[in-house]
Amino acid sequence: MSTNPQLPVRPTTSLKLLSLSHACVDIYQGAVAALVPFFLSERAYSYAAASGIVLAASLLSSVAQPLFGALTDRWAMPWLLPVSALTGGVGVALSGLSGSYALTLAVVAVAGIGVAAYHPESARIARIASRGSHTAMGLFSLGGNIGFATAPLMVSAVIATGGLHASPLLVVPALAGAALCVAALRTVPLPATAATTAAVGGRPAGRDDWPAFLQMSGAVVCRSIVFVGLSSFLSLYARQRTEGGEFAGTAALFVLYLGGAIGTVAGGRLATRYGRITVVRWSYALTVPAVAGVVLVPGPLLYLFIALTSAGLYVPFSLHVTLGQDYLPRRVGTAGGVTLGLTVSVGGLASPLIGAAADAASLQTALTPLIALPALGWLLLRTLHEPEMPENVSATAPAPQGNTTSVSRS
């Protein structure tokens, strides 16, 4: 049983463009959580009501991600990238215009569908551009993490200045993201099927290993609940624990997201040296004491534990994607939809439970169970193995050039 080969691939122009577009789209995943404090202050929502908005963005996204993934396994759908970027941005941009809670839920849900549509196809195309390189795929994931990191700063700058009615200004990154998607698609030769995508990505399509894939996905769900739970309430919690104001909360979210950008880059490099499974296991193990520090340690030291938590959550992020695609080499769209989308979005399903616990007791009480989840993820990963390579295949074989179709430049 051999480890996944590493191909000496430098990031291409198309991969860089995809990474930038990923940043623009994932701003809208981070923006929903960043809007929560403003919904609480301007509309006097309870914790549970505010977390329901996070749920609205996550619920349809969770359902839609694997559906879009299954579709992209059957047909190449590159047009989804610019369309989904615009959809996600428009949904968030409209969220501050109406005082109606139902309408706010609806437009945020539309944003969630837009984000859902983007990830499976973008992961398939990024695999082609990266040719199977962990480091190159790390660059693609880094773009999404930068988007998350930028979201609270952008939301704070716009909404703190103009109030929720200034939310239409939040559509600007979506316009940029759509343009970047179009530019990227003009440079990538796209296979029509998942099996061909796996081959172009650096390894031939072998057998799908569903048990290993589902085992890994269970661990990623644990990570997702921790990440989304912290994203939804960390801004408010940091204000309480540091006795700071709005800046203290924005800074906490920024550290959480920016540390993820650093962790993603480190993850690809560490996996090249030590192997993906080893790096993923250690990341989950080290996240346990880091989350405990976030929940239990007061004062400015909180920010150190936020940074450590961010690194622990994000070092395995791009490795989840490549492992998932290698466990399901004939269904890379589905794998991307689950690892980049479903298991990320499903964390939002736990947000109302955390919000209800915070209303009934306190935020610290509500966040305490998050300490145990990385430990559960580590247990799920204990027996996980590297994906098997088909026999008699050279690890350094160049990517096939046939059976590809170029995207129209019209």
Side-chain angles (χ1 to χ4, degrees):
M1 188 178 299
S2 61
T3 58
N4 191 47
Q6 270 299 282
L7 304 178
V9 178
R10 297 182 62 185
T12 61
T13 298
S14 56
L15 190 63
K16 293 174 183 176
L17 291 170
L18 284 168
S19 180
L20 290 172
S21 74
H22 195 186
C24 292
V25 172
D26 274 11
I27 280 176
Y28 299 108
Q29 291 211 71
V32 175
L35 283 166
V36 166
F38 297 99
F39 287 128
L40 287 168
S41 60
E42 291 195 30
R43 297 182 181 174
Y45 289 163
S46 66
Y47 286 133
S51 61
I53 294 174
V54 179
L55 173 63
S58 302
L59 185 58
L60 282 180
S61 182
S62 298
V63 174
Q65 294 263 12
L67 297 179
F68 282 113
L71 288 173
T72 59
D73 282 336
R74 291 180 62 86
W75 303 286
M77 303 173 72
W79 55 268
L80 268 180
L81 270 63
V83 170
S84 59
L86 289 172
T87 303
V90 169
V92 169
L94 294 176
S95 65
L97 293 184
S98 173
S100 166
Y101 185 71
L103 187 57
T104 300
L105 291 178
V107 295
V108 168
V110 168
I113 293 175
V115 171
Y118 173 84
H119 283 100
E121 184 70 346
S122 66
R124 185 180 77 91
I125 295 172
R127 183 176 178 89
I128 297 166
S130 72
R131 294 181 59 190
S133 165
H134 301 331
T135 304
M137 280 299 289
L139 175 65
F140 171 69
S141 298
L142 173 64
N145 300 336
I146 290 174
F148 264 106
T150 305
L153 300 179
M154 181 188 70
V155 169
S156 181
V158 172
I159 307 302
T161 301
L164 286 172
H165 288 293
S167 65
L169 293 175
L170 300 178
V171 79
V172 173
L175 300 176
L180 288 165
C181 288
V182 172
L185 292 173
R186 291 169 63 89
T187 66
V188 185
L190 297 178
T193 67
T196 309
T197 298
V200 174
R203 56 180 294 176
R207 294 177 299 175
D208 290 334
D209 187 348
W210 280 102
F213 179 77
L214 293 174
Q215 188 176 345
M216 185 195 72
S217 296
V220 183
V221 167
C222 294
R223 175 210 176 270
S224 172
I225 294 172
V226 174
F227 179 75
V228 177
L230 290 178
S231 297
S232 301
F233 299 103
L234 185 61
S235 178
L236 298 168
Y237 191 61
R239 295 184 196 183
Q240 295 177 8
R241 300 295 283 177
T242 63
E243 298 182 353
E246 183 178 294
F247 176 78
T250 300
L253 274 182
F254 181 72
V255 170
L256 178 68
Y257 296 157
L258 184 63
I262 298 170
T264 299
V265 175
R269 297 184 182 278
L270 289 170
T272 301
R273 182 169 182 178
Y274 299 107
R276 289 178 292 182
I277 297 298
T278 298
V279 172
V280 170
R281 284 179 187 147
W282 273 106
S283 298
Y284 277 74
L286 294 175
T287 301
V288 178
V291 175
V294 171
V295 176
L296 302 175
V297 175
L301 196 58
L302 171 72
Y303 292 99
L304 171 62
F305 285 102
I306 292 173
L308 293 174
T309 297
S310 179
L313 292 174
Y314 270 109
V315 161
F317 188 78
S318 66
L319 308 182
H320 292 148
V321 179
T322 59
L323 280 168
Q325 290 177 331
D326 287 347
Y327 286 134
L328 301 184
R330 296 186 177 277
R331 293 176 174 83
V332 293
T334 298
V338 172
T339 54
L340 272 174
L342 175 61
T343 49
V344 175
S345 302
V346 78
L349 304 181
S351 290
L353 298 177
I354 297 173
D359 286 331
S362 68
L363 262 180
Q364 185 177 46
T365 300
L367 295 176
T368 298
L370 299 183
I371 299 171
L373 288 172
L376 177 58
W378 178 82
L379 288 173
L380 289 169
L381 294 167
R382 281 190 64 196
T383 58
L384 202 64
H385 58 80
E386 280 282 349
E388 294 183 5
M389 281 289 293
E391 295 181 2
N392 302 321
V393 176
S394 171
T396 58
Q401 300 299 314
N403 300 323
T404 60
T405 56
S406 297
V407 177
S408 172
R409 297 175 180 263
S410 60

